[in-house]
């Protein structure tokens, strides 16, 4: 009888653990946060989008206002075109808003941060953001640092 009770408790904790793993997977994949809100679409062109993905958040001042809906590459201008769907409740983004790609934390997921401008006209469906800043790639920063350090070292050797 005692072994039967232990087996029931073990089964209960295994089921609880599986439910917790499922909830964690839903949080990480952002599937739980996907909403079908109607909104308007805007686009922006970037030289480098880094690890930006479809369904990545679009934020203004740290508040999520939309999601990335598509990412395409234009082989005529050699840039990535990112289309974002902004929730319909955020209708008053100025037309001179700028877009930057940021990383959440040191190794976190990337998102688009919008910096609002001061234009009196507002973004509408199909508009394009012209002021953009590409993703900062950690490997490029390290490479530039090493290159500059090596260049300074060789300058010091030639002046001696």
């Amino acid at each position: 009888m005692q072994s039967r009770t232990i087996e029931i408790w073990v089964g209960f904790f295994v089921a609880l653990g599986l439910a917790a793993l499922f909830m964690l997977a839903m949080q990480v994949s952002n599937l739980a946060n996907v909403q079908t809100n109607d909104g308007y679409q805007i686009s922006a062109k970037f030289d480098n989008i880094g690890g930006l993905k479809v369904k990545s958040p679009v934020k203004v001042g740290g508040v999520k206002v939309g999601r990335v809906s598509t990412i395409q590459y234009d082989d005529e201008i050699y840039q990535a075109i990112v289309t974002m769907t902004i929730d319909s409740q955020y209708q008053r983004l100025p037309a001179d808003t700028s877009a930057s790609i940021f990383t959440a934390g040191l190794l976190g997921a990337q998102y688009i941060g919008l910096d609002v401008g001061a234009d009196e006209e507002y973004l509408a469906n199909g508009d394009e953001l012209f002021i953009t800043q590409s993703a900062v790639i950690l490997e490029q920063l390290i490479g530039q640092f090493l290159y500059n350090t090596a260049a300074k070292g060789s300058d010091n050797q030639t002046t001696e």
Side-chain angles (χ1 to χ4, degrees):
M1 182 69 179
Q2 178 138 2
S3 66
R4 178 87 170 138
T5 306
I6 292 173
E7 288 176 3
I8 290 173
W9 278 108
V10 168
F12 174 74
F13 283 115
V14 167
L16 191 64
L18 289 174
L21 285 174
F22 177 74
M23 293 298 291
L24 181 64
M26 293 299 286
Q27 289 292 75
V28 169
S29 67
N30 286 329
L31 291 177
N33 295 333
V34 175
Q35 299 171 349
T36 58
N37 284 352
D38 291 329
Y40 59 98
Q41 292 193 338
I42 58 175
S43 63
K45 296 175 183 169
F46 294 94
D47 292 326
N48 191 339
I49 62 167
L52 189 71
K53 294 178 175 55
V54 173
K55 296 183 184 173
S56 293
V58 177
K59 297 181 179 184
V60 175
V63 177
K64 186 180 90 55
V65 297
R67 290 209 173 270
V68 173
S69 53
T70 63
I71 299 173
Q72 300 172 339
Y73 179 71
D74 188 340
D75 59 356
E76 292 180 11
I77 60 171
Y78 306 110
Q79 287 184 321
I81 300 172
V82 177
T83 305
M84 300 160 266
T85 301
I86 306 299
D87 295 340
S88 58
Q89 65 191 23
Y90 303 107
Q91 294 286 334
R92 298 190 60 199
L93 291 176
D96 62 344
T97 297
S98 64
S100 303
I101 299 176
F102 295 112
T103 303
L106 185 60
L107 299 174
Q110 292 189 320
Y111 66 94
I112 294 183
L114 299 179
D115 291 323
V116 295
D119 200 341
E120 294 181 6
E121 293 184 27
Y122 299 116
L123 291 171
N125 191 31
D127 284 352
E128 180 179 348
L129 302 177
F130 295 103
I131 305 169
T132 61
Q133 181 179 356
S134 295
V136 176
I137 309 300
L138 186 62
E139 292 85 0
Q140 288 177 343
L141 287 177
I142 293 171
Q144 287 176 351
F145 174 75
L146 293 175
Y147 177 76
N148 289 338
T149 303
K152 287 180 184 177
S154 66
D155 287 345
N156 289 340
Q157 290 177 355
T158 57
T159 59
E160 291 177 0

